[in-house]
Amino acid sequence: MSVNKVIKRITTSTIKELKAKGEKISMLTAYDYSIAKVLDNAGVEVILVGDSAANVIAGYETTLPITLDQMIYHASSVVRATEHALVLVDLPFGSYQGSADEAFKSAVRMMKESGAHALKLEGGIEIIDNIKKIIAAGIPVCGHLGLTPQSINKFGTFGVRAKEDAEAEKLIADAKALEEAGCFAVVLEKIPAALAKKVTASLSMATIGIGAGDDCDGQVLVVNDFLGLTKDFKPKFVRQYLKLYDEILAAAGQYVKDVKSGNFPNEQEQY
């Protein structure tokens, strides 16, 4: 029986239970009411309001430009659409890295103004005090390690992370620190599958993979990639379940023809 049939709302406790039972966790991003409603009805356990909205909604090259106000807007739209899914929201670049007090204020604003259920922050030991202060206030936190897009200028590339021993060991230490701080889950992005398997086995909190292999406790994809809306972007880890770019292109082209020919609207489509 689907977990959505058992309880009305997925919570962080549900995620921990799924990990303990060995049941995989499904996560997709959403940024607006309409898509979030569909994903919620489909039984997706976690809907991530990602700062990837900067890329797929606003057209920026990185996630850095999106603001806290903009993330609150997207998050509140998604929260209003959901009845079952846990709504997890990214805190954007610059809103939590500076100090524990700054992180706390940003987290409180997000929770109060959007209605989010949990927050995701990128980074490990470097921001652990900031994470602890947020969790101490009763706000659930999901970590994010590996390829952390908010640090793309430091990395200089979107390539696979933690291939070398030193970076892999730091990732393991960061994951342990996040768990000890009280995080309920961690996203592992674009790291070797063998490392993700090792990290997953070592943690009691759930791991959510994106380009991190099938041994993670769950998986997440950006919904635009999942739907095939991103025409020229298909990294190895993305599976396109639809090809909406081509379908929308064809439909819009037909609409243009119908309008110009006078075929739309017809007699049944007017008052």
Side-chain angles (χ1 to χ4, degrees), residues 87-245:
V87 179
L88 175 66
V89 182
D90 276 334
L91 283 186
F93 175 74
S95 68
Y96 64 90
Q97 292 95 339
S99 69
D101 286 342
E102 177 185 43
F104 172 76
K105 289 176 182 177
S106 297
V108 169
R109 266 203 72 200
M110 178 61 75
M111 298 297 286
K112 287 175 69 71
E113 295 181 31
S114 75
H117 308 132
L119 304 179
K120 182 165 75 65
L121 283 69
E122 295 183 9
I125 291 169
E126 298 83 359
I127 61 162
I128 207 69
D129 290 339
N130 304 13
I131 289 173
K132 286 179 179 177
K133 181 152 187 159
I134 293 171
I135 292 174
I139 300 172
V141 172
C142 172
H144 185 152
L145 300 172
L147 177 63
T148 47
Q150 290 179 14
S151 302
I152 189 58
N153 289 327
K154 179 178 75 174
F155 295 146
T157 172
F158 285 100
V160 176
R161 304 305 310 171
K163 291 188 291 185
E164 304 299 328
D165 290 345
E167 190 176 351
E169 289 303 317
K170 184 180 186 309
L171 187 142
I172 292 169
D174 282 339
K176 281 291 187 183
L178 291 173
E179 180 168 75
E180 290 169 3
C183 290
F184 73 94
V186 60
V187 169
L188 301 176
E189 181 167 358
K190 224 169 181 186
I191 65 172
L195 176 60
K197 180 178 182 180
K198 181 178 180 180
V199 172
T200 299
S202 72
L203 299 174
S204 59
M205 69 176 175
T207 61
I208 308 296
I210 177 166
D214 63 351
D215 287 303
C216 294
D217 297 308
Q219 299 292 328
V220 60
L221 285 175
V222 171
V223 71
N224 298 56
D225 300 338
F226 157 85
L227 293 173
L229 275 168
T230 44
K231 177 67 173 175
D232 299 317
F233 179 75
K234 190 183 180 301
K236 182 178 181 180
F237 62 83
V238 168
R239 180 181 296 180
Q240 291 183 337
Y241 283 78
L242 292 171
K243 295 190 182 297
L244 283 190
Y245 181 96

Side-chain angles (χ1 to χ4, degrees), residues 4 9-10 15 25-50 74-75 77-90 116-120 184 219-221 223:
N4 283 358
R9 173 73 74 178
I10 302 293
I15 301 304
I25 301 157
S26 61
M27 183 188 296
L28 285 168
T29 69
Y31 317 100
D32 66 87
Y33 180 93
S34 298
I35 293 295
K37 176 65 74 175
V38 176
L39 300 185
D40 193 56
N41 288 338
V44 174
E45 278 107 4
V46 184
I47 297 178
L48 170 63
V49 186
H74 287 294
S77 300
V78 170
V79 168
R80 286 192 292 271
T82 61
E83 296 180 10
H84 304 297
L86 183 150
V87 179
L88 175 66
V89 182
D90 276 334
H117 308 132
L119 304 179
K120 182 165 75 65
F184 73 94
Q219 299 292 328
V220 60
L221 285 175
V223 71

Side-chain angles (χ1 to χ4, degrees), residues 8 23 37 44 57 61-62 68 124 139 147 168 191 194 197 207 255 268:
K8 182 174 178 61
E23 182 176 339
K37 176 65 74 175
V44 174
I57 302 298
E61 290 186 7
T62 73
L68 183 61
I139 300 172
L147 177 63
I191 65 172
K197 180 178 182 180
T207 61
Y255 170 77
Q268 286 72 46

